[in-house]
Amino acid sequence: MGALSQTADGYLWLGTRGSLYRFDGFEFEKFEPADGEPLGVVSALASTAEGLWVGFRIGGARLINANGMMQPVDPGLPDGVVYSIAEDQQGQVWVAADEGLARHDGTGWRQIGKEMGFIGLHARAVHVDVDGYIWAASEEELYMLPPDASSFMGTGIRSQSISEIASSPLGDVWITDRSRERVLRVIKIGSASIKFEEIPTSSANSIVLDEQGDAWLGTLGSGLHYLTAGQMHEPAEGRDVISSYTARDGLSSDYVLAQLIDRDGTLWVGTDAGLDRLQRKSLAPLALSTGVGSTALAVDGDGSLWVGSNNGQLTGFRNASHSTFELDMPINSLVNSQQHGLLIGGHQGVFSLSGDKLVRVAALPVESTPESAIRTMAVGKNGDIWVSVNREGLFVWADQQWHNIDPLSDSERQVMPVSASRDPSGKLWFGYRDNLLVSFAEHKFERWSYEEGLDIGHVTAMLHLPERTWVGGQHGLAYLKDGRFHRLDVPAAGSFQNIYALIAVPANKNAGESGMDIWVHSRSGIFKLPAAEIDRVIAGGETLLYSSHDHIGRLPMDPHKVLPLPTGVSTPEGSLWFATGQGVVRVDPHKPSDMTHPPVITIEALIADGVDIDISAAPVRLSAPPQRLVIGYSALNLTAPETMRFQYRLSGHDSEWVDAGRARQAVFSRLRPDDYEFHVRVLDERGQFHRPKEALIVNVPQVFYLRPWFLLLFSGALLALVFWISRVYTQREKAVLRTRLEERFHERERIARELHDTLLQSVQGMMLSFQAVADSLPKESLARHAMERALDRADQVMAEGRERITGLRGEIAPAEDLAVAFQLLQQETDASDSVTYRVSNVGQPLPLRNEVRDVFYQVGREAVFNALLHAKATQISVTFTYAKDRFEMLVVDDGVGIDPLYQRMRGRPGHGGLRGIYELAERIEATLMIVSSARSGTRIRLSLSGAIAYENTNDDKHKRSIRAG
């Protein structure tokens, strides 16, 4: 990063090795010239009345005007690297380039040489100070041009490696020398004389001076050096003249290439590794001894701040003085009281500070560990000391002895309070875990819990104001009103988790208690809730708005130690002190913000369904309703961008402001056609709102294909198309299935015919031959009897063969009705007469397709035979259902059922009956369901769509198409 500058609109510009970038405190935006030409390495930047001048390493300088357009190249500029650019009081621009010094006269560049007293072929730096003096360095000497002079004059300062010239608000000029370990401070005497002094330091290549005149030196390898103004020869009180900031202190790199102090006084440092921001510390932590972790805070009657640490050190601070005491125990709690003064609590007991001595008031009533001895303390109106001992309970020291307070809850988690306080009336308050708050006054306890609206988890902070009592805890903030607690609606609830201190501060420095801001110290940081905002939200307004100081206030979180409460206190003069992870810090609640310029809010982009929309013309009219609309916005704030909080509202869509936190995009989905206005506002660290000059107006049009009548017609047409496609597909599938069934039936006819004409006829002939042989034998012959028995068996085989052939042809019986055919099945077996066998039809029988009739017959026949021969059934029923949309067969018996194992296997190994049933059903794509158990018998249901099962005698045209296919 070789150059930095801030333009009049407040943006920070960064010149890098690759290009030029603009920074608003949030995001870096690369500058793209309109002609698309790459810029290359930017070596110098300067903000002028006309815009931003950019100098390049390869030579040349271009102006970017206020509208962001880069102007054409002007002729006459010397070649070579542009080292620096400056604007004089007349508005003329000066450039120090490698091939010489030049001035822009409004039309072009004019090179400055011997005719104006600048002797040198090369220029290394140029600068204009607050008095209008122009300082220019050649490769050998430093020159000065007073405001009323017509030519440069030598200063007598000779150097071949001057790298930068800067001046202070008082007019002093500072010069860095890249090759020498010194800087020069030049003081003007009269109008044409100077004196200078050398200040030893590391070799510096850049320098800036702040409003106090302090110098900041950038080095190549030694980081950033700081020189105190006015004390260059002797150390300043409490610190050296030169102090350093290096990578060890958080600097991105020790190689500093450029520096800039912006209009709000923030120092920006560009290194070879990044960009750093440095602000003058307004919150110097208290000087505590090393090794201090958690600290307890209290303010005594004299207004002194007392800090007790976990290493046993007690320190009091008053104005510029402080006093320290040592105890042989971690200090867990501090509380001030009128009767005892400052009380100190730890595992060795309770001590009081009396004059310059620590006196032990009492040892603890029970033993406890050093890390978590006392959770909290409070002092009653009569001087009785209330102490909460970790894991033991609540005790009170009165009449020179300890008294144990009976537990106020049956829960083991609520044995002892975790916080305590005393309100202005003298009533004591104790906060417990899990939504329990107890008060004590007039020897009487009163309690509040979840039933009374307390819903903040552990009660860890309390604040008592004349108009209401506030409590803070794990999950936010609540106030007591009419005997009940009410949550305060605050945005970004994560910031208000785990509250450990509440402090009331007058909204105005001299307002007294008429309006009290509430300062909240939570685990995330320090926040201010303005009094006006609190009243507005309690009255029913929108979400409360707050200002953030979270960049200084994060709490130390040691999981092994109890955090002393409260973590924040206020002193009589109005200072707030907080125990943070960076030590005990002071906040002036009425200190003006460092931000002297209000943030500039801009609406930067509009993206509809991934397409960037031009927002320069208002209103913006979209071509179609977007599925997703993204609006990008930002606020220019270089001082404290982390404290900015955005809110937006899309009029016509949002009824209230949407709190976006630090997000800089608003996303909307499926906006209906209408005119919308997008408003955005930002809340700065002072709690003030800022808005852009104009809202963004967006028109979402109503397109014809989204109008109700079009949607109705389109929906009807779409449904009709879907229905037609479905019907065509169904008819096609039916035709394919019918064709496949008929092909199978014809194949079975061919097989049956061939078997009848060949195999059965041959067997019949053989039987006749054997019968002739048997007839020729004597009737009493044993051989004749054997042959007669064999021929009888052959007759049975022939009968079975004819039955099989009849099944292949679909000829189940001479009758076509399945019910008649199934009535005859009982006669084919030797079933007992005690078996009740019923066959019935439901509905008028319809003609079935051959393949369908055959499959149903074979499946039913197998089911009936299994019931008669194997299941030991006493009751068997077969029911055929002829419905318009389906044909179904149900075979029910009360037999022993089918073994569940064989049912899951679809048959017993080596037996094909059950497996054959499934294969037959799959052949015609019928639905087969078998339910069987030992207690209820077996139910076999086979069903098929009527469109496939029945012969369609009325649709001759369709049948012809099937045959043709």
Side-chain angles (χ1 to χ4, degrees):
M1 192 172 304
L4 293 170
S5 184
Q6 186 178 30
T7 48
D9 56 10
Y11 283 95
L12 188 68
W13 291 80
L14 297 79
T16 69
R17 291 183 177 274
S19 187
L20 181 65
Y21 292 87
R22 191 177 73 166
F23 182 54
D24 64 358
F26 293 100
E27 295 179 333
F28 293 91
E29 178 185 0
K30 186 177 182 180
F31 177 79
E32 300 285 355
D35 55 11
E37 180 182 356
L39 296 180
V41 179
V42 176
S43 58
L45 293 172
S47 177
T48 68
E50 293 181 304
L52 179 71
W53 281 93
V54 184
F56 302 99
R57 184 178 180 83
I58 62 173
R62 303 278 295 274
L63 173 67
I64 301 175
N65 62 23
N67 295 325
M69 301 299 297
M70 181 169 277
Q71 302 302 300
V73 177
D74 290 329
L77 185 67
D79 294 334
V81 181
V82 174
Y83 291 107
S84 61
I85 307 173
E87 183 184 30
D88 63 22
Q89 293 182 338
Q90 288 73 41
Q92 295 181 328
V93 177
W94 295 75
V95 167
D98 187 58
E99 297 297 327
L101 180 68
R103 181 183 66 195
H104 197 278
D105 60 6
T107 58
W109 295 100
R110 176 188 171 192
Q111 188 161 353
I112 306 299
K114 295 180 180 179
E115 74 283 356
M116 286 192 63
F118 184 80
I119 302 174
L121 299 177
H122 309 281
R124 295 290 182 256
V126 64
H127 175 75
V128 180
D129 66 20
V130 294
D131 299 322
Y133 285 73
I134 301 173
W135 302 81
S138 71
E139 75 278 17
E140 295 181 351
E141 188 177 356
L142 177 68
Y143 296 88
M144 173 183 69
L145 178 63
D148 298 330
S150 59
S151 63
F152 284 92
M153 59 183 66
T155 62
I157 299 174
R158 303 186 65 81
S159 174
Q160 296 180 353
S161 54
I162 292 176
S163 57
E164 192 161 354
I165 307 171
S167 59
S168 72
L170 301 177
D172 298 342
V173 177
W174 294 71
I175 299 154
T176 60
D177 197 327
R178 184 179 291 108
S179 63
R180 299 184 184 181
E181 294 185 350
R182 67 170 188 177
V183 294
L184 300 177
R185 180 189 182 198
V186 179
I187 302 174
K188 298 189 290 288
I189 302 174
S191 60
S193 300
I194 64 167
K195 68 175 182 177
F196 65 90
E197 61 176 331
E198 294 186 5
I199 302 171
T201 183
S202 300
S203 300
N205 70 307
S206 66
I207 184 172
V208 291
L209 292 104
D210 59 24
E211 294 181 356
Q212 288 75 29
D214 300 341
W216 299 83
L217 305 174
T219 68
L220 297 177
S222 300
L224 190 66
H225 292 180
Y226 172 75
L227 280 70
T228 306
Q231 300 179 12
M232 298 301 169
H233 300 291
E234 55 183 346
E237 181 180 354
R239 61 179 179 177
D240 297 332
V241 173
I242 300 177
S243 55
S244 299
Y245 298 87
T246 64
R248 293 183 177 181
D249 303 306
L251 206 63
S252 60
S253 172
D254 289 336
Y255 287 83
V256 178
L257 304 178
Q259 298 176 82
L260 171 73
I261 294 180
D262 67 20
R263 62 190 186 183
D264 293 318
T266 301
L267 173 63
W268 297 88
V269 181
T271 72
D272 64 344
L275 179 67
D276 298 273
R277 185 185 71 188
L278 284 79
Q279 291 177 303
R280 192 176 298 275
K281 280 188 176 181
S282 58
L283 303 172
L286 289 176
L288 301 174
S289 63
T290 59
V292 172
S294 57
T295 53
L297 304 178
V299 177
D300 66 13
D302 296 330
S304 299
L305 172 69
W306 290 91
V307 180
S309 65
N310 61 348
N311 63 3
Q313 189 178 82
L314 177 67
T315 308
F317 298 88
R318 180 67 175 175
N319 298 327
S321 63
H322 67 276
S323 54
T324 302
F325 300 88
E326 299 289 342
L327 287 88
D328 188 22
M329 67 174 189
I331 298 175
N332 305 111
S333 181
L334 291 178
V335 63
N336 185 61
S337 66
Q338 183 177 0
Q339 297 87 348
H340 306 282
L342 184 68
L343 291 177
I344 305 100
H347 73 282
Q348 294 182 3
V350 179
F351 296 76
S352 68
L353 182 62
S354 177
D356 295 334
K357 296 182 179 180
L358 288 172
V359 179
R360 185 157 79 170
V361 176
L364 291 185
V366 292
E367 293 184 3
S368 60
T369 60
E371 288 77 11
S372 59
I374 294 180
R375 296 300 300 265
T376 186
M377 288 196 303
V379 180
K381 289 191 294 185
N382 299 326
D384 43 339
I385 304 173
W386 296 69
V387 177
S388 172
V389 182
N390 196 48
R391 299 188 183 92
E392 299 295 338
L394 181 62
F395 301 85
V396 58
W397 175 262
D399 301 327
Q400 298 300 308
Q401 61 179 337
W402 288 106
H403 304 274
N404 186 15
I405 303 300
D406 293 334
L408 300 170
S409 170
D410 296 331
S411 172
E412 293 183 358
R413 292 172 53 84
Q414 296 173 334
V415 172
M416 77 291 173
V418 295
S419 62
S421 66
R422 175 177 164 180
D423 67 17
S425 67
K427 180 186 292 186
L428 297 178
W429 297 75
F430 301 98
Y432 289 78
R433 294 173 176 166
D434 301 332
N435 297 307
L436 177 61
L437 179 67
V438 175
S439 67
F440 177 77
E442 306 298 334
H443 306 287
K444 180 182 178 182
F445 286 99
E446 186 177 6
R447 55 180 287 159
W448 292 265
S449 61
Y450 186 81
E451 287 72 18
E452 287 74 35
L454 190 60
D455 187 19
I456 59 172
H458 305 341
V459 181
T460 50
M462 287 177 275
L463 173 64
H464 308 283
L465 297 177
E467 65 275 11
R468 58 180 68 94
T469 289
W470 292 88
V471 292
Q474 277 182 299
H475 309 305
L477 197 62
Y479 61 92
L480 181 61
K481 180 181 179 182
D482 299 331
R484 288 189 61 82
F485 277 93
H486 306 269
R487 287 282 295 269
L488 186 68
D489 185 18
V490 291
S495 299
F496 295 92
Q497 299 292 316
N498 299 291
I499 296 173
Y500 296 107
L502 298 172
I503 306 175
V505 177
N508 298 312
K509 196 167 188 178
N510 301 318
E513 295 186 352
S514 59
M516 304 294 285
D517 298 336
I518 296 180
W519 287 70
V520 177
H521 194 197
S522 73
R523 176 179 295 183
S524 300
I526 300 172
F527 307 93
K528 184 181 77 171
L529 310 184
E533 280 294 301
I534 295 172
D535 292 338
R536 181 182 61 80
V537 171
I538 290 178
E542 299 172 3
T543 304
L544 183 142
L545 305 173
Y546 61 92
S547 56
S548 170
H549 297 259
D550 60 352
H551 55 293
I552 61 171
R554 297 186 183 275
L555 282 163
M557 283 295 155
D558 188 340
H560 304 291
K561 294 181 180 179
V562 175
L563 195 66
L565 300 179
T567 58
V569 294
S570 62
T571 57
E573 67 269 16
S575 297
L576 308 182
W577 294 90
F578 296 96
T580 73
Q582 290 74 41
V584 179
V585 299
R586 174 182 174 271
V587 174
D588 183 355
H590 301 295
K591 177 183 177 295
S593 169
D594 292 332
M595 187 173 60
T596 58
H597 295 81
V600 179
I601 307 175
T602 55
I603 299 175
E604 298 181 331
L606 177 67
I607 303 174
D609 294 334
V611 179
D612 289 329
I613 307 298
D614 182 15
I615 60 175
S616 58
V620 178
R621 180 176 176 81
L622 303 180
S623 59
Q627 296 294 312
R628 187 172 187 267
L629 189 71
V630 180
I631 301 177
Y633 52 85
S634 186
L636 176 62
N637 181 358
L638 299 178
T639 303
E642 69 276 4
T643 66
M644 308 290 284
R645 289 181 44 251
F646 293 94
Q647 292 185 327
Y648 64 80
R649 181 172 64 186
L650 187 65
S651 298
H653 180 271
D654 300 318
S655 59
E656 297 181 352
W657 288 94
V658 178
D659 190 87
R662 297 177 186 174
R664 295 181 299 282
Q665 274 191 347
V667 181
F668 305 95
S669 300
R670 301 181 182 275
L671 292 175
R672 57 181 176 81
D674 204 346
D675 290 328
Y676 298 92
E677 285 191 11
F678 180 77
H679 300 267
V680 62
R681 63 186 185 183
V682 66
L683 188 71
D684 64 21
E685 60 180 345
R686 295 173 293 185
Q688 297 180 355
F689 272 122
H690 305 276
R691 291 181 171 87
K693 295 180 180 179
E694 296 180 353
L696 175 65
I697 301 175
V698 181
N699 174 261
V700 178
Q702 175 72 280
V703 293
F704 77 93
Y705 52 79
L706 291 179
R707 297 184 183 275
W709 61 267
F710 181 85
L711 292 176
L712 184 62
L713 291 177
F714 180 78
S715 300
L718 183 62
L719 288 175
L721 178 62
V722 171
F723 177 77
W724 178 79
I725 292 175
S726 175
R727 184 174 180 84
V728 169
Y729 177 79
T730 303
Q731 294 296 335
R732 180 180 178 183
E733 290 299 311
K734 290 179 180 179
V736 170
L737 181 58
R738 289 168 182 159
T739 301
R740 186 165 65 248
L741 292 176
E742 291 191 0
E743 289 175 350
R744 290 179 179 175
F745 179 77
H746 292 320
E747 179 65 14
R748 291 163 65 89
E749 284 279 346
R750 183 187 64 79
I751 294 173
R753 185 171 55 255
E754 291 181 355
L755 288 174
H756 183 272
D757 295 341
T758 56
L759 180 62
L760 293 183
Q761 294 293 338
S762 298
V763 172
Q764 184 68 36
M766 293 174 61
M767 289 177 62
L768 292 174
S769 299
F770 279 106
Q771 184 65 51
V773 173
D775 291 342
S776 65
L777 295 175
K779 293 184 179 180
E780 296 80 8
S781 172
L782 296 176
R784 179 170 180 165
H785 290 298
M787 291 188 70
E788 289 288 348
R789 289 196 298 271
L791 289 172
D792 291 339
R793 178 58 183 160
D795 284 337
Q796 294 178 0
V797 171
M798 287 288 293
E800 290 178 359
R802 288 190 182 93
E803 290 177 358
R804 293 296 180 182
I805 292 174
T806 302
L808 285 173
R809 288 175 169 173
E811 299 173 358
I812 59 175
E816 289 287 334
D817 191 352
L818 277 173
V820 176
F822 271 82
Q823 289 285 0
L824 301 175
L825 286 180
Q826 190 177 18
Q827 302 175 6
E828 298 183 22
T829 65
D830 295 329
S832 172
D833 294 336
S834 62
V835 176
T836 303
Y837 181 70
R838 295 190 302 273
V839 180
S840 62
N841 287 332
V842 176
Q844 180 66 33
L846 298 173
L848 298 171
R849 297 186 181 278
N850 292 335
E851 181 76 5
V852 173
R853 184 179 62 250
D854 186 41
V855 168
F856 271 74
Y857 175 75
Q858 293 184 55
V859 170
R861 183 174 182 272
E862 183 69 26
V864 172
F865 279 11
N866 285 338
L868 289 172
L869 302 179
H870 304 300
K872 301 178 182 180
T874 60
Q875 294 185 9
I876 303 173
S877 67
V878 181
T879 305
F880 297 98
T881 301
Y882 294 87
K884 183 178 181 181
D885 59 341
R886 80 183 192 284
F887 173 63
E888 182 178 285
M889 176 181 67
L890 177 63
V891 181
V892 180
D893 68 66
D894 62 350
V896 297
I898 304 173
D899 190 316
L901 174 62
Y902 299 146
Q903 189 173 352
R904 289 193 298 270
M905 295 172 60
R906 290 194 172 186
R908 182 180 301 180
H911 295 75
L914 190 59
R915 183 176 291 106
I917 289 177
Y918 280 102
E919 291 175 354
L920 288 168
E922 291 173 356
R923 182 192 301 173
I924 63 172
E925 299 180 3
T927 301
L928 175 65
M929 184 174 66
I930 301 177
V931 179
S932 180
S933 69
R935 292 180 299 176
S936 59
T938 303
R939 296 173 62 88
I940 299 178
R941 185 187 302 274
L942 183 66
S943 62
L944 184 65
S945 169
I948 299 174
Y950 303 132
E951 286 284 359
N952 191 352
T953 58
N954 296 326
D955 194 355
D956 295 336
K957 180 180 179 181
H958 192 66
K959 289 177 65 177
R960 286 195 300 273
S961 66
I962 294 175
R963 296 192 189 97

